[in-house]
Each structure stands twice: as structure tokens, then as C-alpha cells.
Amino acid sequence: MSTLEIRGLRAGVAGKEILTGIDLTIRSGEVHAVMGPNGAGKSTLAGVVMGKPGYEVLDGSVTLDGTDVLAMAPWERATAGLHLVMQYPTEVPGVMLHDVLAEALTTRGRPTAELDATLRAEAAKIGFDERFLDRALNVDLSGGEKKRNETLQLAVLAPKIVILDELDSGLDIDALRDCARRVEEMSNQVGDDEPLGVLAITHYSRLLQELQPDHVHILANGRIVESGGPELATQLENDGYSAFAGEADSDDADASASALSDLFSI
Ligand code: ADP
Ligand code: MG
């Protein structure tokens, strides 16, 4: 069993403090949803935990099974078992999906002989067209196909803990269902492999209909203002963030209007 522990994390960017004290513990098999309005600091949290350049850690700690994550280079964090599914997957012309995964598995001391078969099996599970397996990474893929591709990589690499930064952005309903179900399945798996621990960042409860959270946290103004069970996501859907943050969406009508406009801006 693995544990990602975030304690008193304060971090900033360009001299401005964004995260003002985050405490979160994610264990294998647990699904934690972090929900919050635009600009709350959700992507900053993902970036700081993964070591994305440009962020400054001001205080606090992040450990994976007791090991200091903040002292590691980004690639070391990935090798240690942390994985990020990015909000906007990057296109990498000339770099083949198969080669990236083979390299990543080798770095992790894992075999690659079955990689082709695994890729095909995983592609079938999430409805990712096999033709895309021979493409350069994310090149010429639609938004939904990119997220399916990211989910496929996640399934092949089988990290300990994954951070999903708005897996739902840019996805149609079918792709969202396929990707969310596969992640849910990984978090429930029994047997030799330990189940995946999930930190799912989102601002819609839509994702959480397929990927069922054990814990829901509301992030507003750089800190977690409320934690609870799945019912918190439903409450948020009804009341908007204003009930928790005292700002952002100022009333219910505004909340639905801005949710709707966000849908078209992602
Ligand atoms: P979320 O993902 O919740 O929408 P972000 O973590 O992306 O929010 O951003 C949190 C805050 O940090 C926002 O006010 C945003 O403008 C600011 N911010 C993020 N990245 C940068 C940056 N590179 N330079 C300056 N401000 C930034
Ligand atoms: Mg974001």
C-alpha cells in the first residue's frame, strides 16, 4: 500500500502565494476529488506535487511512502510512482507512444516484451482506435482522443498515485465515461497489483458519476475549505462554490451560467 501525504503545503508562482496551506492524504485504492472554481489553485497543486518548473514551495512537505517528494527531480517523482494526467495533453511530434512507454517501463525496471499486446488490450477497454497507437504522441488527435491516450498510458504504467487535472475538460460524454470507468476500475483492482490512489481535480461533479470519490475536498483561494464524502459534490452542484468560498460564483443563477460558459471555454 502506498501513501501520498501533503502537509501544510504553501506554494507560489511569480512571487505570488497561491496555495496557502494544503493538507491531503491519499492512499492506494482511495479516490479523492478536489473541486474548486477557476483560479483556485488546482493546477498549481498538481504542478507542485509533480515538480513542474516555475513554482516555488514556501512551506510544508509532500512525501510518498515517507520519502521526500519535493527533493526529487520530476522524472524521479514519476519513477517513484506518481503520475499526472495533464489538463491539456502535449503533442510531441516525432516521438512514438510505444517508445515513450517502453522507455518509461525500462526506467521503472519493468519488462516491455508484452507492451504491444498490453497496448492493444488497453486501447480496446477504453475505445481508443488501434490506428492511433502508431502515431506520434497526441499528434493529430482530438481532445477526447488525447484524454483516451493519456488514460491508456496511465493504465500501462500503473503508477501508485495519479493526479488527474481536469480529466473531463475537452471530453465528450462517451470519452469521459470510458476514461473515468477505467480509472475507477484501477482504483478497485484486487490481486497482485496494488489499487491506484487517485487525486481527481475537477470543477464539475459530472466526472464523479463514473469515478466515484471516497472523499471530496473543496479548494478555494488556495486552501481546502471543506472536506466530506460524495454528498459534498452533490451539494456543490446545487449551491455553487459561493456557499463555501464566499466568492467566485455569487449565486445559483451565476453558478449555472458560469458552469455553462466554462463548458464552452475548455
Ligand atoms: P485552477 O487550476 O484552480 O484554475 P491555477 O492553479 O491554474 O488554478 O491558478 C491559480 C492562480 O495562480 C490563478 O490566480 C492564476 O492566475 C495564478 N497563476 C497560475 N500560474 C501562474 C503563472 N505562471 N504566473 C502568474 N500567475 C499564475
Ligand atoms: Mg487548472
Side-chain angles (χ1 to χ4, degrees), residues 163-175:
I163 302 177
L164 308 170
D165 191 1
E166 304 211 14
L167 179 67
D168 42 357
S169 83
L171 272 188
D172 59 49
I173 300 289
D174 290 352

Side-chain angles (χ1 to χ4, degrees), residues 187-240:
S187 76
N188 289 329
Q189 72 196 358
V190 288
D192 292 345
D193 297 328
E194 69 182 26
L196 183 65
V198 182
L199 176 56
I201 292 170
T202 181
H203 59 190
Y204 299 116
S205 55
R206 197 175 52 163
L207 170 74
L208 308 176
Q209 287 159 12
E210 297 289 348
L211 177 60
Q212 287 157 3
D214 306 293
H215 305 275
V216 174
H217 312 275
I218 298 177
L219 180 69
N221 305 321
R223 64 188 186 91
I224 288 170
V225 293
E226 186 86 28
S227 290
E231 74 288 346
L232 198 50
T234 316
Q235 194 185 337
L236 200 57
E237 187 86 332
N238 296 331
D239 301 348

